[in-house]
Structure formats: C-alpha cells, structure tokens
C-alpha cells in the first residue's frame, strides 16, 4: 500500500500469494507475514429532488480491520516453493439510518427504508506452489477458497411494490472456489515484469430471508384474499466475484531507487444482478446491477535510506464500475484516486512495514431516477486507510 498497491512486478515477499504468486521464487528460506488494515470510509449525500431537495444525509461511521496472513517456504535447494495465504478481500459494510432522506420517504405511505445495512465479510484461503524454471522465469498457481461468513442485505426495494411495507432482507453465509495463476519475468538486473490472474468466483449464499417481495398483484377491492405479497423463510442468493488481471513492472533505477507500475483490470461486467430465490430455487426478486469492467492504474516508488530503512510513496486511480442506471447508496462508489505514504524497517530476520492511504472518491452527481428518484443527488466519499504488518524470516 505504501507504493500505491503497485507490486505485481516486484512481489518479493510472502504477500506475493495475493499480488503475483510467481514472485514467491524470490523468498529465501521460510517467511511469515502478518498484518491488517484499518479502513474508515464516509459518504455525505445531498438530495436533489422534492420533497428533500437540499437535505444532507451521512452514512454511519464505521471502522473495519480486514487482516491477512501469508506463509512462504523454499523447499530445500529445489526449484519449488510452497505458500499459504489467508486474507479478507471483501470485509466492509455500509449503513444508513432512518434519518437519511431516501429512507424517510421510502417507497410509499408506510415509509419503508430503502437502504439500511449492507455487509460482506469474506475470508480467502489460498494454498499455492511456485516453480522456478530459470533465472528469468517463475510460475505459480493454486486454488482459492472463499468463505462468506457474514453477509447482510437489509432495507426496502423497488421490487417491494405493490406492498409498500415490503423489504428485501437476507442474512446468510456461503462459499465458493476459484484459482490464481502468476508469472514473474526477470528481463535483466534492472527490470522485472509480472502477470497475475485471480479467477472469478460464484458464492452460493444461503440464509434467512424476511419480507422478500414476491411480485404478486393484489386483487380488486372486494375480491378474495390475495396471496402473500412477501416471503419469509430460507432463501438463496448467488454472488459473483469477478476475474482480475494484473500486468506489473518493476524498475530498479539505482541502488537507492525502485519504481513500480501496475495495470489492474477487473471484469466487473460479470456482476449483472442479485437474484433472490426461495430455498427450492424458485425466483423471488431480481436486483439489476450490470456493472462495467474497470481499469486501475497504480504507481509507486521506494527509496532505500540504508540497509534497514525504506521510504515509500504512491498514487493510484481507478474508474468506478458502478453505472448510474443501477446506482444506489449501498455502494456509493465513484472514480477513486489514492495517495499513499509508507515506510519499512528491516533487520533481516524481522521487518516492520506501515502505510497510509488517503482515498478520494470526489463528488458524483446521480440523476438516474432509481429508488423513485430518491437516490438522485450529490455523493461525496472520502476514506482513510492505515496498514501495518510484521515479517519473520527463518
């Protein structure tokens, strides 16, 4: 993070399991890397449409701490390395209370909140192997197991009509399998290039659904009793996590200076919808997403003060995958720009690294008309991230 998350072409410690598993061939002996990142994100919303035009609402303040643990081991004098990565690629949540303007208005006279809480907590476990074919090329691969242990989707929905009290609530868990593949090319003593891929994963979530609208049409006045407008019971939901592809380059300009540049492509177009289903597989509600593919550019530099101290800095920019047509406050995303600073202290057997990122999502004006136009307005988001980890070599 200290160098803008640009690391695929360098990947010279145990965290290569996440950034580019091909880089594990640079680890000597055995290594354990343990740490986490404090994440604080805040969003302010100013409504555009009546009756709340000009009213400002703020997302609930939350602080998250997704952890990570990486282990790497060079097997004797062979050309093989093994590793194990445990981290949380998705471990955040958002929450709007009932004072938010779109929640006060709701979907009808009953004032059902449109958006309350959304949570996605996932642990990923990746056992990997890397083989060094030559001094210029290494290749690593392995499966990735995702366990979603705390998933929550709460609030109203446009699909709750014709029932103005309809909700779209699901709390559950689930899992899925993917894979990773990475290669590291050493061109000469100054240049390295990395290619990395993490496959898409479909998480099969199961849990308890409450108030999920069924889409039944109410009968005419004076008619017979209508069927239920909503469903309470066991429910299922498939969540698609997209493929990611990274091309990275590392340039060792001098004994003091090192530079990294990563191009990170995420195939968010695989995230088309959220299809809520009954336990028997029959459909309940469908929330359209239709995200766009996204490209992130990450650049960073390291300056080696001496044998023990390193200073780092970086920049990153990422296009938001969230289109205006399906925008809602659950994920108040916008184009992101991050500025990072960091340092490292390394004794050889032990290393301490820390980094800070100021994440600017700027302003996004939304006029999509979603949520009966109650989501329309200006969203402003800013984030603070602080990461710390320790490395042990033996």
């Amino acid at each position: 993070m200290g160098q803008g998350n640009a690391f695929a072409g360098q990947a010279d410690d145990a965290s290569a399991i996440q950034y580019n598993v091909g880089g594990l061939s640079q680890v000597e002996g055995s290594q354990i890397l343990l740490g986490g990142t404090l994440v604080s994100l805040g969003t302010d919303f100013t409504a555009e449409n009546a009756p709340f035009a000009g009213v400002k609402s703020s997302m609930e303040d939350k602080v998250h701490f997704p952890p990570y643990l990486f282990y790497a081991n060079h097997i004797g004098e062979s050309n093989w390395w093994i590793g194990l990565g445990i981290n949380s690629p998705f471990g955040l949540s958002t929450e709007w209370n009932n004072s938010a303007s779109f929640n006060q208005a709701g979907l009808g006279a009953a004032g059902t909140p449109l958006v309350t809480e959304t949570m996605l907590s996932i642990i990923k476990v990746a056992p990997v192997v890397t083989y060094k074919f030559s001094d210029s090329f290494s290749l690593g691969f392995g499966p990735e197991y995702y366990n979603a242990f705390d998933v929550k989707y709460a609030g109203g929905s446009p699909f709750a009509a014709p029932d103005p009290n309809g909700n779209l609530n699901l709390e559950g868990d689930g899992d899925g399998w993917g894979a990773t593949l990475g290669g590291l090319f050493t061109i000469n003593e100054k240049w390295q290039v990395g290619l990395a891929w993490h496959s898409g994963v479909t998480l099969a979530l199961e849990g308890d659904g409450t108030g999920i609208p069924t889409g039944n049409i109410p009968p005419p006045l004076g008619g017979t009793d209508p069927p239920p407008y909503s469903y309470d019971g066991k429910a299922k939901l498939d969540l698609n996590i997209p493929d990611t592809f990274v091309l990275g380059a590392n340039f060792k300009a001098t004994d003091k200076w090192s530079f990294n540049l990563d191009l990170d492509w995420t195939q968010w177009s695989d995230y088309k919808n959220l299809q809520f289903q009954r336990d028997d597989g029959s459909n309940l509600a469908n929330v359209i997403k239709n995200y766009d593919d996204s490209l992130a550019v990450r650049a960073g530099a390291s300056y080696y003060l001496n044998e023990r101290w390193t200073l780092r800095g970086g920049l990153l920019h990422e296009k938001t995958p969230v289109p205006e047509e399906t925008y809602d406050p659950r994920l108040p995303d916008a184009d992101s720009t991050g500025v990072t600073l960091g340092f490292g202290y390394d004794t050889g057997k032990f290393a301490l690294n820390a980094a800070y990122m100021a994440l600017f999502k700027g302003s996004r004006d939304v006029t999509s008309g979603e949520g009966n136009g109650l989501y329309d307005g200006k969203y402003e988001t800013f984030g603070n991230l602080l990461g710390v980890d320790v490395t042990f070599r033996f």
Side-chain angles (χ1 to χ4, degrees), residues 19 107 115 156 220 323 391:
Y19 287 91
L107 293 170
V115 176
T391 301

Side-chain angles (χ1 to χ4, degrees), residues 145-354:
Y145 171 70
Y146 290 76
N147 181 265
F149 60 91
D150 196 356
V151 179
K152 186 174 183 179
Y153 189 105
S157 166
F159 300 94
D163 180 2
N165 293 305
N167 289 295
L168 192 54
N169 299 329
L170 177 68
E171 293 188 52
D173 53 34
D175 56 11
W177 287 89
T180 186
L181 178 69
L184 186 71
F185 304 83
T186 301
I187 299 173
N188 52 45
E189 63 181 13
K190 289 185 176 293
W191 284 96
Q192 287 189 154
V193 174
L195 287 169
W197 167 69
H198 295 274
S199 73
V201 179
T202 298
L203 298 179
L205 306 178
E206 297 183 354
D208 297 317
T210 57
I212 299 179
T214 61
N216 293 324
I217 301 173
L221 291 176
T224 59
D225 290 338
Y229 294 157
S230 61
Y231 171 80
D232 295 333
K234 294 297 181 181
K236 301 193 296 186
L237 173 67
D238 286 343
L239 179 65
N240 293 326
I241 295 176
D243 290 78
T244 60
F245 305 86
V246 183
L247 170 63
N250 171 246
F251 175 57
K252 299 178 178 67
T254 68
D255 290 340
K256 295 287 188 180
W257 284 98
S258 175
F259 298 92
N260 283 276
L261 176 66
D262 281 13
L263 301 178
D264 190 331
W265 176 265
T266 305
Q267 197 168 311
W268 279 111
S269 57
D270 287 342
Y271 187 43
K272 299 183 183 300
N273 67 323
L274 291 173
Q275 180 68 64
F276 293 80
Q277 296 179 325
R278 293 179 179 87
D279 195 37
D280 63 8
S282 58
N283 292 334
L284 286 167
N286 185 35
V287 180
I288 303 299
K289 293 298 181 181
N290 286 337
Y291 277 21
D292 299 320
D293 293 336
S294 179
L295 176 68
V297 181
R298 315 179 192 277
S302 296
Y303 179 72
Y304 303 95
L305 283 173
N306 52 47
E307 290 183 354
R308 295 198 172 188
W309 287 97
T310 302
L311 301 179
R312 303 183 179 99
L315 292 169
L316 61 90
H317 182 76
E318 183 171 3
K319 186 77 172 176
T320 179
V322 183
E324 183 164 323
E325 293 76 15
T326 60
Y327 190 97
D328 72 53
R330 292 186 184 278
L331 182 61
D333 201 38
D335 293 349
S336 302
T337 299
V339 180
T340 71
L341 294 171
F343 74 87
Y345 176 75
D346 197 332
T347 66
K349 293 293 185 180
F350 168 83
L352 170 68
N353 290 279

Side-chain angles (χ1 to χ4, degrees), residues 6 68 123 164 183 303:
Y68 50 87
I123 290 293
Y303 179 72

